[in-house]
Amino acid sequence: MNILLLGSGGREHALAWKLAQSPSCDKLWASPGNPGMEECATCIALDSGDHDAVVAFCGENDIGLVVIGPEVPLVEGLADALRAAGIRAFGPSKAAAQLEGSKAFTKELCERAKIPTAKFIRCTSLEAAWGALKKFDAPFVLKADGLAAGKGVVIAETREDAQEALSEMFDGKFGSAGAEVVIEQFLKGEEASFFALTDGETIVPLASAQDHKRVGDGDEGPNTGGMGAYSPAPVLTDALREQAMREIIEPTVRTMREEGMPYSGVLYAGLMLTKSGPQLIEYNVRFGDPECQVLMMRLESDLVELMLACAEGRLGEIETPKMSGDFALTVVMAAEGYPGTPKKGGSIDLGEAEANGAKVFHAGTKREDGQLVANGGRVLNVTAKGSTATDAQRNAYEAVDAIDFADGFCRRDIGQREVRRERHG
């Protein structure tokens, strides 16, 4: 089978790497891809925003499955255009992708389905938002309603900071994503990510993970798209996972189906583990980045088979996904200046980074005169496995230290919370 994968980041490199391992994959195309993906895919330039062009390419190249990596093409309805042309696609419809495309849509669905989540108020003007602040206590959680590349959430410690942040949001800081804002109650607890696959009827749990959003060690500095992650997240115990499935994932999929928006693909729930149990922070309608990298390192099942089963509505007919019992941990190497204006063009030599089983997924690279160089904020995802989080962390940083990237930096404490728990019990 010929497969088309859309996207260019570390998430898509990890997906390409896993898709190419399937005996069902005859030829893998990636658009636009990146230098790392060239090892396992043919990279082409295709505008995912031009649905007719994508459909035409699929017809001309006998594409049997399209895997849509990023959220924007999903929210814009690319999966609908493909299905209308009789092409199988992994990813939700435009209507179902509102779970990520609109924070307010998801919060209101939670109300209807009685899904545990923080109390909220949807605001369509600055004046209304300032008024809504009076109904919450500090710290204040402010979210741009639409897509903001993972950076549309502000946690303000004081009312004055919240008012300033709201002014910036409605003044266009996040573009059209901030035309509406959701103000939420601040939840206390530990965060964890939970991934499940569904074809709209059957739901199968995949894995848990924890990521590190802040740019600096010790969770200091501004939020980023993610500076590293590890899987599994033992803090999400079997009992908590079952509770999350029962109280959050299952009612979401059921309600979406009943309301005429059946959800197909991967459902990524950001959870807060509170004293009263898991509560939903937000949904993403695609694999996380960099969580996908650690999930693909642990996945032992055939990814093509899983994605086809979701796309064809027969997930209940195949074996449950099998994940390695090992830990996987990924460290993001970012370009100097990130998450502000990253320095581009810095040369990269991967050296012997992959000599001991680690995998370097490319996230923001390009080739210039034969030399690998930085071409984005998050540049590399250095990923390794180990029998414990401590082992996985050590293996990942050994691989990081084998890379020559003078303009790059990384956090040195990815997975540290779990390492401490292993050390102290």
Side-chain angles (χ1 to χ4, degrees):
M1 177 192 303
N2 295 340
I3 299 171
L4 171 63
L5 169 64
L6 298 175
S8 63
R11 165 182 51 217
E12 286 76 33
H13 186 184
L15 290 172
W17 174 73
K18 202 67 189 177
L19 289 166
Q21 294 172 21
S22 170
S24 302
C25 181
D26 295 319
K27 183 172 179 63
L28 177 61
W29 300 85
S31 174
N34 64 39
M37 294 162 74
E38 291 171 355
E39 297 174 356
C40 54
T42 299
C43 296
I44 52 157
L46 196 60
D47 180 4
S48 63
D50 186 341
H51 296 179
D52 290 341
V54 176
V55 168
F57 177 88
C58 292
E60 292 161 6
N61 293 276
D62 193 26
I63 300 296
L65 175 68
V66 179
V67 178
I68 305 169
E71 62 273 20
V72 173
L74 291 166
V75 170
E76 292 179 347
L78 178 56
D80 303 80
L82 291 164
R83 292 186 182 115
I87 300 163
R88 291 171 293 197
F90 180 80
S93 66
K94 181 176 183 176
Q98 291 180 90
L99 280 175
E100 179 167 359
S102 170
K103 302 290 192 301
F105 172 88
T106 299
K107 298 296 285 190
E108 289 168 358
L109 179 135
C110 287
E111 276 192 329
R112 296 194 300 277
K114 296 180 172 54
I115 292 167
T117 190
K119 72 173 185 177
F120 74 101
I121 297 178
R122 179 181 190 170
C123 306
T124 56
S125 70
L126 179 59
E127 292 73 19
W130 279 21
L133 278 180
K134 298 173 184 175
K135 300 180 180 179
F136 294 87
D137 296 321
F140 304 93
V141 181
L142 318 172
K143 295 182 177 181
D145 180 63
L147 297 179
K151 300 172 186 174
V153 179
V154 176
I155 298 177
E157 296 296 333
T158 67
R159 198 171 300 275
E160 291 73 23
D161 289 345
Q163 289 177 330
E164 183 179 346
L166 287 167
S167 297
E168 291 177 349
M169 284 180 166
F170 281 103
D171 200 34
K173 180 178 181 179
F174 299 115
S176 60
E180 292 189 16
V181 171
V182 171
I183 302 177
E184 289 186 12
Q185 165 198 11
F186 181 81
L187 294 176
K188 293 181 180 179
E190 187 168 341
E191 286 189 47
S193 301
F194 182 54
F195 297 82
L197 297 175
T198 180
D199 59 8
E201 290 276 352
T202 300
I203 311 166
V204 295
L206 190 62
S208 61
Q210 282 188 305
D211 73 339
H212 299 65
K213 286 290 189 191
R214 301 278 185 174
V215 72
D217 286 8
D219 291 325
E220 297 291 333
N223 269 335
T224 70
M227 293 300 293
Y230 63 93
S231 174
V235 68
L236 192 66
T237 62
D238 289 346
L240 288 174
R241 189 166 87 161
E242 288 171 10
Q243 187 178 357
M245 282 287 287
R246 184 176 64 251
E247 297 181 0
I248 297 174
I249 306 293
E250 290 172 3
T252 297
V253 173
R254 182 176 61 250
T255 303
M256 295 290 283
R257 182 176 66 246
E258 290 171 350
E259 296 184 357
M261 300 173 284
Y263 188 98
S264 172
V266 61
L267 192 54
Y268 161 16
L271 304 175
M272 184 67 77
L273 306 180
T274 71
K275 289 181 179 178
S276 60
Q279 294 204 40
L280 180 70
I281 301 172
E282 64 181 8
Y283 273 128
N284 292 307
V285 299
R286 36 69 192 181
F287 284 103
D289 190 347
E291 294 93 340
C292 184
Q293 290 82 312
V294 289
L295 265 56
M296 292 304 106
M297 284 289 279
R298 293 186 58 223
L299 180 64
E300 295 180 346
S301 301
D302 185 325
L303 182 60
V304 173
E305 183 182 64
L306 290 170
M307 289 183 163
L308 272 177
C310 287
E312 295 175 344
R314 52 177 184 83
L315 190 58
E317 299 172 14
I318 67 169
E319 288 187 15
T320 302
K322 186 178 180 185
M323 305 295 290
S324 163
D326 286 344
F327 278 81
L329 184 143
T330 189
V331 178
V332 170
M333 296 190 76
E336 181 183 323
Y338 180 78
T341 303
K343 183 177 179 181
K344 294 187 178 182
S347 64
I348 302 165
D349 183 350
L350 298 181
E352 298 296 313
E354 296 185 344
N356 294 317
K359 181 66 184 173
V360 180
F361 295 114
H362 294 230
T365 65
K366 70 175 182 178
R367 291 206 185 276
E368 215 168 62
D369 301 325
Q371 170 68 49
L372 188 66
V373 299
N375 190 43
R378 295 186 294 170
V379 179
L380 301 170
N381 306 140
V382 186
T383 314
K385 288 167 65 178
S387 58
T388 62
T390 304
D391 290 341
Q393 183 192 60
R394 182 186 62 249
N395 295 339
Y397 280 109
E398 282 180 1
V400 165
D401 293 336
I403 296 172
D404 184 3
F405 178 23
D407 291 338
F409 74 95
C410 67
R411 283 184 56 165
R412 304 297 304 193
D413 65 345
I414 301 302
Q416 198 58 37
R417 178 181 283 173
E418 195 56 42
V419 169
R420 281 197 298 268
R421 279 197 276 248
E422 287 179 352
R423 191 175 296 147
H424 302 300

